[in-house]
């Protein structure tokens, strides 16, 4: 089994930055893609970013392209999300997940494609 724990969320002013971390434990999953999703109150869970097992392929939602960067350290079973130029509409609970996909190239994914989820970390961006 795999366990994921997110950290790094908090309150930040618009235009600021945060770096989210996701630490994994349990069985190895470095061959699988990892993803970040977010969910605002009353809204559907939304894809944010994905990264392949090697880290060589990434995908982003249009709403965060140019502002967010996903990265991973497979040796540490960790994935990160650097969030810059944050906007109030980025406010949400952010979840990391282990993807079922093992391909070298990743693209936008749906929540149903995930195998494991973290409990989430709250990001609040004030105007």
């Amino acid at each position: 089994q795999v366990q994921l724990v997110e950290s790094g969320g908090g309150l930040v002013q618009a235009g600021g930055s945060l770096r989210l971390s996701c630490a994994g434990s349990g069985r190895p999953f470095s061959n699988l893609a990892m993803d970040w999703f977010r969910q605002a109150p009353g809204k559907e869970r939304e894809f944010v970013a994905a990264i392949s097992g090697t880290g060589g392929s990434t995908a982003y939602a249009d709403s965060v392209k140019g502002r967010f960067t996903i990265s991973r350290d497979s040796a540490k079973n960790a994935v990160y999300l650097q969030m810059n130029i944050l906007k109030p509409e980025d406010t949400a609970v952010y979840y990391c997940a282990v993807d079922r996909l093992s391909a070298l190239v990743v693209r936008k994914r749906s929540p149903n494609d995930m195998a494991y989820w973290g409990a989430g970390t709250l990001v609040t961006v004030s105007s």
Side-chain angles (χ1 to χ4, degrees):
Q1 302 300 316
V2 171
Q3 295 180 355
L4 302 172
V5 180
E6 301 96 334
S7 63
L11 176 64
V12 64
Q13 292 183 331
S17 298
L18 285 174
R19 187 181 191 234
L20 305 184
S21 298
C22 174
S25 62
R27 72 172 180 84
F29 55 89
S30 61
N31 61 312
L32 299 175
M34 296 191 71
D35 300 64
W36 286 95
F37 288 78
R38 66 187 182 187
Q39 188 167 20
K43 295 189 176 182
E44 299 284 335
R45 191 162 296 190
E46 175 189 29
F47 173 79
V48 176
I51 186 167
S52 64
T54 63
S57 176
T58 58
Y60 297 92
D62 289 341
S63 59
V64 306
K65 285 181 179 178
R67 299 188 298 119
F68 291 11
T69 302
I70 188 171
S71 61
R72 72 185 295 167
D73 185 342
S74 294
K76 298 180 179 180
N77 282 345
V79 63
Y80 309 95
L81 187 68
Q82 179 66 47
M83 305 186 295
N84 298 324
I85 319 176
L86 283 162
K87 305 175 181 179
E89 51 262 45
D90 294 320
T91 295
V93 176
Y94 283 71
Y95 301 89
C96 69
V98 178
D99 204 307
R100 299 182 185 275
L101 181 70
S102 61
L104 295 177
V105 177
V106 295
R107 50 180 58 88
K108 181 182 178 181
R109 304 282 281 164
S110 73
N112 292 333
D113 296 322
M114 304 299 108
Y116 302 99
W117 292 92
T121 185
L122 177 63
V123 172
T124 302
V125 184
S126 62
S127 60

